[in-house]
Amino acid sequence: MAIVNLPNKPLTVNPLKQSQALGASLAFLGLKGMIPLFHGSQGCTAFAKVVLVRHFREAIPLATTAMTEVSTILGGEENVEQAILTLVEKVQPEIIGLCSTGLTETRGDELERFLKDIRDRHPELDYLPIVFAPTPDFKGALQDGFAAAVESIVREIPKAGGIRTEQVTILAGSSLTPGDLQEIKEMVTAFGLVPIIVPDIGASLDGHLEDGYSAVTASGTTIKQLRDIGSSAFTIALGESMRNAAKILEERFNIPYEVFGELTGLDAVDEFLQALAILSSNSVPEKYRRQRRQLQDAMLDSHFYFGAKRVSLALEPDLLWSTVNFLQSMGTQIHAVVTTTRSPLLEKLPVKSVTIGDLDDFEQLAAGSDLLIGNSNVGAIAKRLSMPFYRLGIPIYDRLGNGYFTKVGYRGTMELLFGIGNLFLEAEEERVKQLWEIGSGE
């Protein structure tokens, strides 16, 4: 059991966490024909857009209600109404994801009432789903906002229908990359199952060229698929943060669910494939048996470099959980852990303590580590401490290919294994070189 520490600082120094609104917009971007709409100032939307564009290196559709000083004081209903009508006229979205921000949450705008009144005045909008996610950025973090958006989606859009025994709903948490979701989709379909992934950023943010320009997301989970979720035979929640969304589907449609906290590592992938085999009544395909043997060999080849190494991590809770368990399975020691927000997983982490804090806390706690793991903002700390650094999470703005990176399944585990192992190998070679130079008197 880990002890959860909350630093008593009066301010945040070098922030680690991203806002809830950013997390909600990322979830909404996994739906086809979507444009997320931020109810707040233009700066709130611009900041989220910059983070997502730099991370994925793709055009990111975001809109704003553009609240000013006057509209903030007088109320934002007119801005929300005008923004929705403008989007319908200009970009013809199939669905709109409405996110609140710190500005409008502090003022107390009642967005659910706003939407009801707007629909009463504009019956022509009855065809258009508008999903609202409350995402104040003065509390919580990216993972919380992402989860709030998914919960709103499954609460409002799915319809009841006859059970389709081969159809499963995959609730994909914020810790998964587009590459991860493509690997998961391939694994599920290999068993003859039909997955509906919510949200499917593996289709919308995987870095592909479309035939033409679209002002909304061109791919992702479709409205029809979202409505068909009520007919799924089972729900697979990937990440503890997806548990509440799975419970909503169970309460609404009596659909059983199972939560998988991680899909990285030999044991975790074994459990996932076994669950798919039971669901489908099919045996595990031979290609995964071979991939498993390849991973075993990779672990055997690399475990010398992982053993007793001290690793410090600064990640969101779901991603932190899966990464810590994978590293410990390879024999590493967890030196320091810093995360962004509360989660039921924190007390269960197999470490002495975890700090909910910022990168200033992380820099102080990480001294003496052999490796740092976190987003690109940890890079400056790694330079100051002269330590190897592995990039994981959001944002990663100083490396290419973030949409393709995969860390789940046997193949994804090997990619993560070799990526971290090569850093340990380079550090070991540098240490040997320095010892040789000292011994030779150079």
Side-chain angles (χ1 to χ4, degrees):
M1 294 288 288
I3 298 173
V4 179
N5 298 318
L6 291 168
N8 232 356
K9 296 193 300 188
L11 75 166
T12 297
V13 181
N14 195 4
L16 167 63
K17 73 174 186 177
Q18 309 292 327
S19 74
Q20 281 205 68
L22 174 63
S25 65
L26 178 60
F28 284 141
L29 289 170
L31 310 184
K32 184 178 183 297
M34 160 66 74
I35 185 163
L37 173 61
F38 280 44
H39 180 40
S41 68
Q42 289 179 314
C44 297
T45 309
F47 178 78
K49 192 178 185 75
V50 167
V51 171
L52 292 172
V53 168
R54 293 184 75 191
H55 180 79
F56 290 107
R57 297 181 186 269
E58 301 293 335
I60 301 294
L62 294 182
T64 177
T65 58
M67 295 289 285
T68 64
E69 295 89 339
V70 174
S71 57
T72 299
I73 294 170
L74 297 180
E77 182 169 358
E78 183 178 338
N79 286 57
V80 175
E81 181 175 3
Q82 188 58 54
I84 291 172
L85 295 177
T86 300
L87 290 174
V88 169
E89 178 185 355
K90 300 294 185 183
V91 302
Q92 293 88 47
E94 297 176 37
I95 181 172
I96 292 176
L98 180 60
C99 310
S100 59
T101 62
L103 175 69
T104 52
E105 285 280 353
T106 302
R107 186 191 181 281
D109 281 357
E110 300 177 31
L111 286 176
E112 290 177 318
R113 180 180 64 80
F114 287 2
L115 289 176
K116 182 180 182 303
D117 292 344
I118 291 169
R119 286 195 181 279
D120 289 342
R121 290 194 292 271
H122 298 278
E124 71 273 16
L125 298 178
D126 287 349
Y127 77 95
L128 179 67
I130 303 174
V131 180
F132 166 59
T135 53
D137 48 19
F138 49 73
K139 67 176 182 179
L142 182 149
Q143 178 178 297
D144 299 307
F146 191 102
V150 175
E151 289 165 20
S152 295
I153 290 167
V154 299
R155 185 181 292 111
E156 297 183 25
I157 298 181
K159 306 294 183 184
I163 296 298
R164 301 172 186 175
T165 55
E166 76 287 351
Q167 180 178 296
V168 294
T169 301
I170 310 289
L171 299 177
S174 60
S175 64
L176 300 171
T177 68
D180 288 339
L181 294 184
Q182 291 178 358
E183 182 72 15
I184 291 165
K185 186 183 296 185
E186 184 177 328
M187 293 166 71
V188 175
T189 55
F191 285 84
L193 298 170
V194 179
I196 297 179
I197 298 180
V198 184
D200 191 1
I201 64 171
S204 59
L205 294 174
D206 63 332
H208 64 277
L209 293 177
E210 297 287 348
D211 294 332
Y213 170 76
S214 175
V216 297
T217 52
S219 305
T221 315
T222 65
I223 293 297
K224 182 181 184 306
Q225 287 176 319
L226 291 176
R227 289 177 176 144
D228 287 346
I229 286 175
S231 300
S232 291
F234 199 78
T235 299
I236 297 175
L238 302 180
E240 180 63 31
S241 62
M242 294 292 101
R243 184 181 295 273
N244 285 341
K247 286 182 177 179
I248 291 171
L249 290 176
E250 182 184 48
E251 292 167 1
R252 292 190 64 196
F253 307 110
N254 200 31
I255 300 174
Y257 71 89
E258 185 172 355
V259 178
F260 291 86
E262 71 256 36
L263 293 184
T264 302
L266 191 66
D267 291 342
V269 182
D270 286 351
E271 290 176 8
F272 184 63
L273 292 180
Q274 181 64 26
L276 293 178
I278 294 172
L279 275 175
S280 64
S281 299
N282 293 323
S283 60
V284 176
E286 178 57 33
K287 71 173 182 178
Y288 293 116
R289 299 176 186 272
R290 180 167 181 80
Q291 286 179 17
R292 189 179 192 275
R293 292 191 289 268
Q294 290 174 327
L295 175 57
Q296 287 177 308
D297 183 70
M299 294 171 70
L300 183 63
D301 293 342
S302 58
H303 81 276
F304 302 101
Y305 303 103
F306 282 79
K309 289 295 192 299
R310 295 162 298 180
V311 181
S312 294
L313 307 95
L315 300 168
E316 296 271 346
D318 279 2
L319 184 54
L320 180 67
W321 173 266
S322 63
T323 309
V324 164
N325 282 287
F326 164 70
L327 290 171
Q328 289 195 329
S329 74
M330 291 300 299
T332 62
Q333 298 175 3
I334 305 303
H335 182 67
V337 174
V338 177
T339 191
T340 58
T341 185
R342 275 283 184 184
S343 168
L345 294 176
L346 299 185
E347 284 83 1
K348 300 176 184 177
L349 278 169
V351 298
K352 290 182 179 179
S353 66
V354 55
T355 299
I356 300 177
D358 54 31
L359 291 179
D360 177 61
D361 301 314
F362 183 65
E363 185 167 358
Q364 296 177 41
L365 294 169
S369 302
D370 295 306
L371 177 71
L372 304 182
I373 297 180
N375 62 37
S376 287
N377 296 322
V378 175
I381 296 174
K383 288 182 179 178
R384 287 195 292 270
L385 299 180
S386 299
M387 293 178 184
F389 167 46
Y390 188 81
R391 293 159 180 81
L392 199 61
I394 293 177
I396 298 175
Y397 49 74
D398 52 353
R399 288 294 185 273
L400 299 173
N402 298 316
Y404 301 98
F405 171 69
T406 305
K407 61 185 182 301
V408 303
Y410 297 128
R411 290 190 300 188
T413 301
M414 281 189 284
E415 184 175 342
L416 184 64
L417 180 69
F418 291 139
I420 296 176
N422 284 331
L423 291 176
F424 286 141
L425 178 59
E426 290 174 6
E428 184 69 17
E429 290 179 344
E430 182 63 28
R431 188 180 70 86
V432 171
K433 179 182 176 182
Q434 291 174 355
L435 292 174
W436 183 86
E437 290 174 348
I438 293 172
S440 63
E442 293 185 9

